[in-house]
Amino acid sequence: MLNIPNNTQIQLSKQEYQNYSKQIVLENIGIQGQKKLKAAKVLIVGAGGLGCPAIIYLATSGVGYIGLIDGDIIEVSNLNRQILYNKNDITNFKVISAQQKVQKINYNCTIIKHPYNLDKQNSIEIISYYDIIIDTTDNFKARYTIDQICNQLHKVYIYGAVEKFEGQVATFNYKNGISYKDLYTKNLLLKNSNCNRHGIMGITTGYTGILQAIETIKVILGLHKRCKNFLMIHNIIQTKNKRKKIYLKRNENHKIKILRSSNIIITSKLKIIKSNVIIIDIRKNFEFSKNHIKKSINIPITKLKLNETIKLIQYYIKNHDLVIYCNTLERSMIASHFLNNRNISHHILHPI
């Protein structure tokens, strides 16, 4: 439950009625919805590519209190996607520049700046003040900390992540729904995304950050359709299968099982391994040589998208089910995109 005061305690000024007039007339918002937005307290963890569009649209929508926590300073390489900043902001703390810019956009929105990184020592004190936590970080350590404290304090956790042209969004810990650790357990050995290594476009972060802002507003307003118990995956340059939803359900052991996602099924080894399947292990050769599923074939992901590889797969799966295996879900999803683009039906085998 969100700790939002009764609407009778919240008043809108004449200026606020004018500012939000176009959205107050919407059936799903109205005056009472606008008051809910004004009363809400939202923490954005990270003032980068995802955080910038999220804070802009939440502030202009009338969210009353927005906390911004980030210990980084602005660098030249940030400017292609962190749209609040310009060259005059370089070497400034992100949260300080972001606060100055957003207060000019909407002075009715209170911006609470935390010019340091979220960690295990300060997370409980900070997160306890807010109703909803938006994760716009780029490292798994921070995500597990956010997930743990949000579960402990019963806070809603809006997750977002990007890599290259792809993004993911999910709502965790909402009304006994799934949590981040249910989807990405710590034993997966996930590696942090690095924009310097993989590259990123500002459009990717912008689109994903806006989706996070949308999900946040849905939770505040209590709208029926929320990004609960599914992972939304999108690719900004694909015209086909641009957006997918992977539906999730927590089982009795507090682990989750993928129920449905277009032609993708993620399940356990015991259910998927049978005689009429071809299992392709997409890990690197040295990973495959250390440990692999019996009778599986090793085709590293770098070779999976080659035309000759695709033709070989299409030939051999005529009377078989194709199964993709990797020890990380992120690599499996990338491989899945390659196969979807070639209309190759497949399953993803992933340890849960």
Side-chain angles (χ1 to χ4, degrees), residues 42-44 47 55 65-71 93-100 103 110-116 126 129-130:
V42 177
L43 175 66
I44 301 177
I55 191 174
Y65 303 89
I66 300 177
L68 197 57
I69 180 167
D70 196 315
F93 276 101
K94 291 181 179 180
V95 296
I96 294 176
S97 289
Q99 182 200 37
Q100 294 171 348
Q103 296 284 213
T110 300
I111 306 297
I112 306 161
K113 58 183 185 293
H114 305 276
Y116 41 81
I126 295 170
Y129 179 77
Y130 298 91

Side-chain angles (χ1 to χ4, degrees), residues 49-50 53-54 57 169 204-216:
L50 299 177
Y57 280 100
V169 174
T204 310
T205 56
Y207 183 64
T208 306
I210 289 172
L211 289 178
Q212 289 181 278
I214 291 171
E215 295 306 319
T216 302

